[in-house]
Amino acid sequence: MRFVHDGVIFMYVYLAGAIISVFKTLNQLCVNQNLHVPLYSIVNVLVFLFASSHLTQFYCMNSAEQSKWTYGGIIGSAEVNSCLNFIGRQNDVNGIFIDRPIYMTGGYSIVHKDVPLVAMNKYEFLEFDEKSTVPVYTDTLSLQTRPLTHNNNARRLKSFGHISDFISIYNTPYLYKKLIIRTEYNYFVLEEDREFEHLGGFVEVFRTQSSKVMRRTFEPHAEQALLDRASKIPIGTNATVLEHEGHWLAHYGLYKQAEERLVFANYIAPRELGPYRRLLEIYQARGNTDFYSKVLTTCMQFHSMIDCTGPYKPLELHSEYFK
């Protein structure tokens, strides 16, 4: 909700700027015509009346009206930010994993470190790293989708619309595999009663109420045990979940990862039509005729050509995403 509040604030700032521009124009017209109208005094009076009306409205609210301005859903934001504040004071932070919704972190700006992040969205974990950043040029204050050049004014920005990976909450073994193999993720923010693994390799370094911070120790024997376990974990074990992940990865333009999940979904359940259709759409859009032909040939072993080449209908694994 804090992002919505920021948007409202920017809207009012823009509106105030527009009002000032109008009054400046009127003031200039009055000066040109030798009219003496206290325009700035009028502006001040209007601002005072506007602020007074809003203050009166808030102060006079009853409990039923106040409840509309509160949010009783996700709790624990203060705990998560306390953990992130602790992590931000450390000197060895290379990557962060949070098993709570990313909306509880305020964009995790409290960390003050440009490091990769994996955090929960709602029914999936999203990864944000250097591959998913968007360049921002301070001289133009505009987002650019073209590749960065050697420009001193260029900065990189993480946004919710640009991710590096999408992992369903129903595919947590693969999430575990990713976090172990990607050794840059060395700080974890977990709920108090949640254990990440039992092979060692992580130590608790901070705790607040029902949240804790675990740090990866990189102890050689524990690391080897972790890597051995991770190497035995497949991409997924449920074709429906893999198809769901593949669809959303393609939606975000992560075609290589989408292809990997969808191909494995076909390997697990070769008669399922959905992964074939989504793969064919991806290959057709990217002009990859060789792979398109191979997938179509495989699909036609179980379905007709009309069925294989029909439009893909996304799985409604979480129905609220399609309202």
Side-chain angles (χ1 to χ4, degrees), residues 48-279:
F48 174 78
L49 292 174
F50 179 80
S52 299
S53 66
H54 280 66
L55 285 173
T56 303
Q57 179 183 358
F58 278 104
Y59 279 122
C60 295
M61 278 186 177
N62 55 40
S63 58
E65 292 173 329
Q66 289 175 2
S67 64
K68 298 177 182 179
W69 289 85
T70 61
Y71 179 64
I74 297 174
I75 59 175
S77 179
E79 297 177 21
V80 172
N81 281 284
S82 294
C83 292
L84 293 178
N85 182 50
F86 169 81
I87 293 174
R89 299 197 304 270
Q90 311 310 305
N91 297 321
D92 60 342
V93 183
N94 297 318
I96 303 171
F97 166 69
I98 306 174
D99 73 340
R100 306 283 190 87
I102 191 172
Y103 308 106
M104 298 172 66
T105 70
Y108 82 106
S109 57
I110 195 171
V111 176
H112 294 295
K113 295 182 186 296
D114 185 15
V115 296
L117 172 79
V118 173
M120 185 185 292
N121 178 36
K122 189 171 185 181
Y123 299 111
E124 57 278 332
F125 289 91
L126 305 179
E127 180 181 30
F128 304 89
D129 63 10
E130 68 282 353
K131 292 180 293 186
S132 58
T133 54
V134 180
V136 178
Y137 292 86
T138 55
D139 54 347
T140 60
L141 296 178
S142 62
L143 296 179
Q144 306 289 334
T145 55
R146 56 189 172 86
L148 271 176
T149 57
H150 296 288
N151 187 334
N152 292 330
N153 293 325
R155 298 292 184 269
R156 301 206 69 103
L157 176 72
K158 293 183 175 69
S159 72
F160 286 112
H162 297 79
I163 64 173
S164 297
D165 208 349
F166 179 105
I167 304 173
S168 170
I169 59 172
Y170 302 125
N171 196 12
T172 50
Y174 179 71
L175 173 67
Y176 174 90
K177 178 187 182 80
K178 182 183 185 72
L179 293 173
I180 294 301
I181 294 176
R182 294 281 300 275
T183 55
E184 61 264 43
Y185 290 107
N186 62 333
Y187 276 88
F188 291 10
V189 178
L190 307 174
E191 291 189 44
E192 181 183 27
D193 58 349
R194 184 164 300 181
E195 293 294 335
F196 180 71
E197 51 75 34
H198 301 281
L199 297 176
F202 288 84
V203 61
E204 182 178 326
V205 291
F206 180 78
R207 180 182 292 258
T208 174
Q209 298 182 41
S210 62
S211 299
K212 62 183 178 181
V213 176
M214 305 291 290
R215 178 175 59 83
R216 193 166 185 168
T217 63
F218 295 103
E219 194 277 324
H221 294 293
E223 281 295 304
Q224 189 58 52
L226 291 171
L227 292 173
D228 289 343
R229 174 183 286 185
S231 65
K232 300 174 183 177
I233 299 175
I235 297 173
T237 57
N238 186 302
T240 300
V241 172
L242 287 170
E243 180 185 342
H244 172 73
E245 290 182 349
H247 165 67
W248 281 102
L249 286 165
H251 171 78
Y252 282 106
L254 302 171
Y255 298 111
K256 184 177 180 180
Q257 291 153 278
E259 178 186 3
E260 183 182 48
R261 310 289 172 85
L262 293 169
V263 168
F264 206 79
N266 280 143
Y267 172 77
I268 296 173
R271 293 184 177 275
E272 288 294 326
L273 181 60
Y276 290 116
R277 283 184 169 181
R278 194 64 174 109
L279 278 170

Side-chain angles (χ1 to χ4, degrees), residues 122-124 248 315-323:
K122 189 171 185 181
Y123 299 111
E124 57 278 332
W248 281 102
L315 291 172
E316 294 191 11
L317 201 60
H318 309 294
S319 58
E320 56 264 49
Y321 284 5
F322 297 89
K323 290 181 179 179

